[in-house]
Each structure stands twice: as structure tokens, then as C-alpha cells.
Amino acid sequence: MRAAAAALRGLSPYAFFIENEVAGLAEVVRPGDVCLDIGAEYGLYTLALAGLAGPGGRVCAVEPLPGPARFLRSATRTLGARNVRVLRRAVGAEEGTGTLSLPLRRGLPVHGRAFLTTGACGAGPNAEFRGERTVAAPVTTLDALVGELGLERVDFIKADVEGAELAVLDGAATTLRTHRPALLLEIEDRHLAKYGARAADLVERLAQTGYRMQAWVGGAWRSADRVREGHRNYLFTARSRG
């Protein structure tokens, strides 16, 4: 498992399907850490986090779509990632049942662009796709998930939820206040807009709760004052985190 995780980090600057920020996880996640991967899809972050957290750590991969969730369960079993648990859920502001809009390209699902329709007005940038499929999924909050798993600590959370990041934060108030985890969030105005939000709203919300923002640039995490065009993933660390 450690070898697979190291390979993902090493390939991230060169493989188009692995985000550059995977290479920077080793500077944030330590052995024994407890990590949550929200919107895990096929598990590139999950597997990298599993290798870094090691056998003394835990990784919970949360993926609402049935196909990717099944794949990730199979992959973690095959690779012997015993510290990973996969849950088929969406994460939002409230618990319940929700509907995901899964876009189709030439009849095939584009899993990475699926979004929870709760609170959304229209398809946003997914209007570029000619079709969609709706998928029902249970919805949890981060606070409820932490309680369900009985986690006494949460060290790192990655979330890629296609614009619903503020809803995730709405349901994570206790987790952020109590555990002060590092957060790696995908932030794009084009996706946030369909929920009536802006990147600046998200950055301000976290700044008010004592988080500072960084971006992975030139092989290092560097301070960032705003979300910039062409750069979508940002690390937020609490000032009180050691």
C-alpha cells in the first residue's frame, strides 16, 4: 500500500489524471492521522492518504455514486488497504436523502462532474453535457459522519463536491471547531455559482474561523490570498494546528 501511495505522489506532476496536489499530501498527512476523502470517486486521494496515514491511521472514503464506490471497495481490498473504509454517501448541510445529477457524454457517465441537486439552481457548467442521469443517495453531514464512525480525532479532510463546499462546511461546524483538521478543497466559481455562492465567500468563511489558505505551486505549499483562475485546489490549515 505504501508503494502504491508513493507511486501516485511521484506520478502526480506528470500524469494528467492525478492532481498535482497529491504530491503535497506528504507535507500535511502524518502516520497515524485520521483522514476523510469526501467525493472520493475512484480513490486516487484515498489510496495516497492510506499510504501516508499507515496502519496506525484511518481513512474514510465517502463516495455517493454506486459504480465508483464499488470500484474503490474492490481496489482497497486488492491492495490490502485495511485502514480504509468506503461509504456510499453524499455529504451536505443536513442529513436525509438527496438526488445527484450525473452528466452523460456520448451516453457514458462523467462521474467527476456529478453534483448534489439540493440547493442548486440549474446545471451550471454541466449544461455543456447533452444528457444526465439522476441517482438517489443518502446524505449525511460531516458532523454526523464523525459521530457515526466514533472518531476521536480528525486530522485531514479532502472535499471535491462540485460547488457544494459551503453546504459541507455548514454541516461540519462541530468537527472544524473541535478537531481543527487541515482541509483540501476544490474551489471553482463556475461550480459554486449554481448554489448562489462565490469562491470569496468560501475563503472568507474559513478565514473567520482561523484557517489560512495555501496553494501547491512549484512543488511547495505557498500562501495564497485568493482563488486564482486556472488553480482549483487549495489547502486550508488552522492556525492552532501543530
Side-chain angles (χ1 to χ4, degrees):
M1 187 63 250
R2 288 182 180 177
L8 286 171
R9 298 197 306 275
L11 286 170
S12 64
Y14 312 106
F16 73 91
F17 58 89
I18 304 175
E19 293 182 334
N20 291 336
E21 289 76 13
V22 170
L25 293 177
E27 297 187 25
V28 185
V29 178
R30 310 175 181 105
D33 274 357
V34 175
C35 308
L36 303 176
D37 185 358
I38 309 301
E41 199 181 2
Y42 291 105
L44 292 178
Y45 276 95
T46 297
L47 297 175
L49 292 170
L52 290 169
R58 296 177 66 180
V59 178
C60 180
V62 185
E63 170 54 50
L65 296 171
R70 284 194 300 269
F71 173 89
L72 187 49
R73 287 193 182 101
S74 177
T76 53
R77 284 196 301 268
T78 300
L79 292 170
R82 297 182 180 87
N83 59 345
V84 175
R85 180 173 178 180
V86 180
L87 296 176
R88 189 189 160 230
R89 314 272 177 84
V91 177
E94 298 179 349
E95 294 182 271
T97 301
T99 301
L100 292 153
S101 172
L102 175 61
L104 304 174
R105 179 186 285 128
R106 298 186 183 90
L108 298 176
V110 185
H111 295 110
R113 291 283 291 274
F115 67 91
L116 191 63
T117 60
T118 304
C121 181
N126 281 12
E128 69 181 270
F129 300 103
R130 292 187 176 181
E132 68 164 340
R133 181 188 306 161
T134 57
V135 181
V139 181
T140 189
T141 67
L142 265 175
D143 286 344
L145 183 64
V146 169
E148 176 188 342
L149 296 172
L151 301 180
E152 297 182 354
R153 58 184 284 188
V154 181
D155 301 290
F156 178 86
I157 299 171
K158 166 259 176 181
D160 180 353
V161 291
E162 299 301 294
E165 289 80 15
L166 281 169
V168 171
L169 295 182
D170 286 342
T174 299
T175 299
L176 297 185
R177 182 177 64 252
T178 303
H179 302 289
R180 307 300 281 163
L183 309 170
L184 182 62
L185 306 178
E186 182 186 73
I187 308 176
E188 292 188 87
D189 271 319
R190 62 179 185 144
H191 293 303
L192 286 159
K194 65 178 175 283
Y195 295 98
R198 303 171 304 152
D201 300 329
L202 183 56
V203 174
E204 182 179 0
R205 167 85 70 87
L206 287 167
Q208 289 175 348
T209 57
Y211 276 85
R212 59 189 178 93
M213 183 169 71
Q214 298 170 276
W216 183 253
V217 179
W221 292 111
R222 304 183 189 276
S223 180
D225 59 354
R226 60 188 173 89
V227 171
R228 298 180 182 274
E229 188 72 25
H231 200 106
R232 62 186 183 183
N233 295 309
Y234 294 85
L235 176 70
F236 295 84
T237 53
R239 292 189 177 94
S240 61
R241 180 177 167 86

